[in-house]
Amino acid sequence: MSHGISVPGPPTRPGPPHLLGLTEPADRPRTMTENFWAGLLESGWAARLRSGDGRTRFRLHYYGELFDGLIVGDDLPALVYAVPESGQQILLFDGAVHGYDAMFCDTWDGDGLRTRRADRVYVDADGEDTFELVVWVGYNIDWEDERESFVDADDPDSVTLVDGRRLPFEIARHAAFDAISITATNARGRATDAVSEELA
């Protein structure tokens, strides 16, 4: 998503609940016009990953395979962690849990999901494995207009997921993003999309 950094742009809405407290505002990429960047933020949310101890450079550990440089799932959904030098794992994306389809449409065998191990390390075209990470998620569903189709009839503040779990409406609407992109920028300033998925 980015090829260098310039003008800061704070997120315009809350982002994915699982990243709460682990991000800071992402800057507009130099290669994007202000209008294009504003459009991305209007239809979504973007932020730079920052660990709890203030680190902003990470290795990406993943389960899945690479297709044209992108981390994708195989028979099971992809699983991606950011790991700073301290070794603390931060879950960035689990295709079995995060996004609209995982929450409302798709189901997988639980035993199969438990076999996934994020034991591969992402390496870019420059041979580098440590990056600044910008996460962008898209929100193209009008949750307020469609609220009645999501909430439980007996509890207008709760949503039931495909696996039977219930979530507060306000959490579900931010967790059920319909697209995700994770951009990894190496020490040379080269940016690569490591994850790019439609999730609805």
Side-chain angles (χ1 to χ4, degrees):
M1 178 184 293
S2 66
H3 296 274
I5 302 301
S6 62
V7 180
T12 57
R13 68 184 79 205
H18 72 284
L19 295 178
L20 185 66
L22 294 169
T23 62
E24 60 188 18
D27 296 336
R28 176 176 64 84
R30 291 188 190 124
T31 55
M32 289 184 188
T33 67
E34 289 186 21
N35 285 342
F36 186 77
W37 181 239
L40 286 179
L41 294 180
E42 185 177 338
S43 64
W45 171 93
R48 183 170 77 151
L49 191 67
R50 182 183 179 93
S51 68
D53 60 0
R55 297 173 191 268
T56 58
R57 297 191 61 75
F58 304 86
R59 299 174 87 195
L60 287 172
H61 291 207
Y62 68 95
Y63 168 85
E65 56 191 23
L66 290 182
F67 180 76
D68 287 340
L70 293 170
I71 298 168
V72 297
D74 46 27
D75 292 334
L76 294 169
L79 184 60
V80 183
Y81 289 89
V83 183
E85 189 177 339
S86 65
Q88 167 203 8
Q89 287 192 330
I90 298 170
L91 179 60
L92 283 186
F93 176 63
D94 181 348
V97 174
H98 298 139
Y100 183 89
D101 282 347
M103 293 174 65
F104 295 106
C105 304
D106 300 333
T107 58
W108 293 271
D109 173 67
D111 290 337
L113 292 179
R114 284 187 284 276
T115 67
R116 295 178 302 162
R117 298 288 178 267
D119 53 10
R120 298 182 180 181
V121 176
Y122 185 80
V123 178
D124 70 7
D126 290 330
E128 298 202 24
D129 66 0
T130 305
F131 311 97
E132 285 193 359
L133 300 173
V134 171
V135 180
W136 175 86
V137 296
Y139 293 105
N140 290 302
I141 296 168
D142 190 327
W143 284 80
E144 287 304 331
D145 274 0
E146 300 187 33
R147 182 179 184 123
E148 294 305 315
S149 66
F150 285 106
V151 297
D152 298 338
D154 58 343
D155 183 356
D157 292 320
S158 293
V159 173
T160 301
L161 308 186
V162 68
D163 63 4
R165 288 181 299 132
R166 291 164 64 99
L167 286 179
F169 175 81
E170 286 301 320
I171 291 177
R173 68 185 296 185
H174 298 299
F177 42 92
D178 50 63
I180 186 171
S181 174
I182 300 173
T183 302
T185 301
N186 67 25
R188 306 182 192 191
R190 186 198 296 264
T192 304
D193 283 343
V195 174
S196 182
E197 289 201 26
E198 297 290 332
L199 302 172

